[in-house]
Amino acid sequence: MVSRAERSAFGDWWWTVDRLLLAGLAILMLAGLVFLMAGGPPVAERLGLSTFHFVNRQVMFLVPALFIMIPVSFLSLRHIRRLALLVYAVGMALILLAFQYGPEIKGAHRWIMIGPLGLQPSEFVKPAFVVLSAWAFSEGARRKDVPGTLLAFLLLPATIVPLILQPDFGQTMLVTIVWCGLFFIAGLHWFWVMGLGGAGLVGIVAAYEFLPHVRARIERFLDKDSGDTFQVDTAMESFSRGGWLGRGPGEGTVKRILPDAHTDFIFAVTAEEFGIIVCIALLVVFAFIVLRGLTLARRNEDTFCRLAATGLIFMFGLQACINMMVNVHLMPAKGMTLPFISYGGSSLLSLALGMGFLIALTRRRPRAEMLDNFNQDWPRG
């Protein structure tokens, strides 16, 4: 037990972070390993890999994820902004390099190889984008001599245009919705909010008209007879097979025929083996983390912390909702992972970075420390 009188860096961190938020994230990480042990082995065997290939790799990525999340949560506000700027710049550079040097997977250039490991740069751009957008909006509201709102407006197209060109419509939609949420929370006029909604609708129509894979997914969602709906139909069947209590660990059959049982449809695999009750419990954990994060953000008097924390937890919750809604056929397939549950190295490391930012932003800080951080970023003449 760490004493309140201890004045070490760890002692200061332990008594200023929200330990309930930490506990919720720890539960998700452990649950992810348990559920992946159910969904991962059949996929690995179909691919000719060792039985626990995906489980072992998830553990391998979970260790550096913790080494990202915990140190980042120690950062001051000034260093959070600087790290976000660095991650954003490097991530966008890697996205552009992926067009030329990255492998084409399912018709998209989203990955870049770093030695034997594949990295999806857009995953790391997301949390950095949220922090930078919140910084721009907060500075625009705080200081009239800083064009913060204009920078926030320029930041959105600079981020989503490369994502559209990959193409990655799911990430584009996620980033845009979160940016619009920040725009609304920053207190800008309803006229602009409605205008952004209209622009988003135009974007969806344009994607439907000009991107064949988007059109195919929407049509399959609206009309089962218009294309192959095998994965979604099988996922829905898993909920009825599992019932309330599930068929038992290792007893599921859906995972043996679902190609993405360890990633996009791990929620459906969990439903068959562990039951709908466990799925509801998992949903409750996600809801607790989101509500806890929003509560901490609302209590924060600093505009930047409030906006950035809200944006990060909104992105986290929205990604979880999209994945679970796809599994129960409430949305067209998006290819989006379930945070900390689905297999995926880039996703896991990116989530660790985002949650590290969130923990750092929601730490209890004296007002003097916050003012000092901002004054060092924007010195007055």
Side-chain angles (χ1 to χ4, degrees):
M1 185 66 180
V2 180
S3 170
R4 285 184 180 270
E6 183 180 336
R7 300 306 302 169
S8 65
F10 180 78
D12 289 340
W13 175 85
W14 178 251
W15 291 111
T16 55
V17 297
D18 187 78
R19 293 186 290 280
L20 290 176
L21 184 63
L22 280 176
L25 294 172
I27 290 171
L28 279 188
M29 292 180 186
L30 292 175
L33 292 178
V34 173
F35 299 147
L36 190 59
M37 289 183 70
V43 180
E45 290 170 2
R46 283 202 305 270
L47 297 175
L49 303 171
S50 62
T51 302
F52 292 102
H53 171 81
F54 293 114
V55 178
N56 293 334
R57 284 181 66 87
Q58 188 81 340
V59 173
M60 183 184 75
F61 281 113
L62 188 59
V63 173
L66 292 173
F67 276 98
I68 290 174
M69 187 175 75
I70 300 302
V72 167
S73 68
F74 275 78
L75 296 179
S76 66
L77 300 182
R78 177 160 43 95
H79 288 112
I80 289 172
R81 294 188 289 271
R82 292 181 178 180
L83 177 60
L85 181 59
L86 176 62
V87 171
Y88 181 83
V90 173
M92 292 303 296
L94 291 176
I95 287 175
L96 297 177
L97 287 174
F99 288 114
Q100 183 68 30
Y101 303 105
E104 182 177 335
I105 301 176
K106 297 181 180 180
H109 294 271
R110 301 174 188 172
W111 298 82
I112 192 162
M113 302 305 296
I114 300 179
L117 298 177
L119 190 72
Q120 190 173 356
S122 60
E123 289 284 353
F124 298 90
V125 166
K126 291 189 301 184
F129 169 82
V130 171
V131 173
L132 293 180
S133 297
W135 184 15
F137 278 127
S138 64
E139 285 301 299
R142 195 176 71 94
R143 292 182 57 177
K144 301 303 180 184
D145 58 325
V146 176
T149 304
L150 176 61
L151 290 175
F153 267 92
L154 295 175
L155 195 60
L156 180 64
T159 304
I160 66 174
V161 169
L163 294 179
I164 293 172
L165 295 176
Q166 284 186 330
D168 193 341
F169 186 70
Q171 301 284 26
T172 301
M173 184 183 71
L174 182 64
V175 166
T176 304
I177 292 174
V178 172
W179 187 91
C180 290
L182 287 174
F183 188 99
F184 176 73
I185 296 168
L188 299 179
H189 198 278
W190 271 100
F191 172 81
W192 293 106
V193 176
M194 294 174 65
L196 286 170
L201 183 61
V202 170
I204 293 173
V205 172
Y208 178 82
E209 290 293 332
F210 299 110
L211 297 176
H213 70 285
V214 174
R215 183 189 305 117
R217 287 183 177 183
I218 293 176
E219 289 178 349
R220 284 199 301 269
F221 174 73
L222 297 175
D223 180 12
K224 289 187 176 183
D225 297 328
S226 63
D228 180 19
T229 58
F230 170 75
Q231 291 210 80
V232 174
D233 292 342
T234 306
M236 286 292 293
E237 187 180 346
S238 68
F239 286 87
S240 60
R241 286 186 178 184
W244 287 103
L245 300 178
R247 304 180 68 175
E251 298 300 319
T253 57
V254 166
K255 62 187 180 182
R256 303 188 186 281
I257 55 177
L258 268 176
D260 298 319
H262 61 316
T263 53
D264 300 353
F265 291 97
I266 195 168
F267 190 63
V269 173
T270 301
E272 185 184 20
E273 298 207 355
F274 296 93
I276 295 175
I277 289 179
V278 171
C279 287
I280 293 174
L282 185 61
L283 179 61
V284 168
V285 175
F286 276 111
F288 171 78
I289 292 172
V290 171
L291 292 175
R292 186 66 183 174
L294 291 175
T295 300
L296 294 171
R298 183 180 60 85
R299 291 175 183 173
N300 204 309
E301 296 180 0
D302 181 78
T303 304
F304 164 69
C305 290
R306 187 165 59 250
L307 284 175
T310 301
L312 289 167
I313 202 66
F314 182 31
M315 177 174 285
F316 174 86
L318 184 60
Q319 181 172 332
C321 284
I322 290 173
N323 178 279
M324 289 185 281
M325 289 173 73
V326 167
N327 275 251
V328 295
H329 199 48
L330 292 177
M331 279 190 71
K334 283 285 180 291
M336 201 164 288
T337 59
L338 187 59
F340 293 117
I341 303 297
S342 298
Y343 168 78
S346 294
S347 175
L348 188 60
L349 297 178
S350 167
L351 286 163
L353 176 65
M355 292 302 98
F357 281 147
L358 177 66
I359 296 167
L361 288 163
T362 54
R363 286 176 60 191
R364 293 182 293 275
R365 289 184 172 88
R367 177 183 289 270
E369 179 184 341
M370 293 186 175
L371 292 175
D372 179 62
N373 273 290
F374 275 106
N375 289 335
Q376 290 186 54
D377 272 333
W378 298 101
R380 297 183 181 274

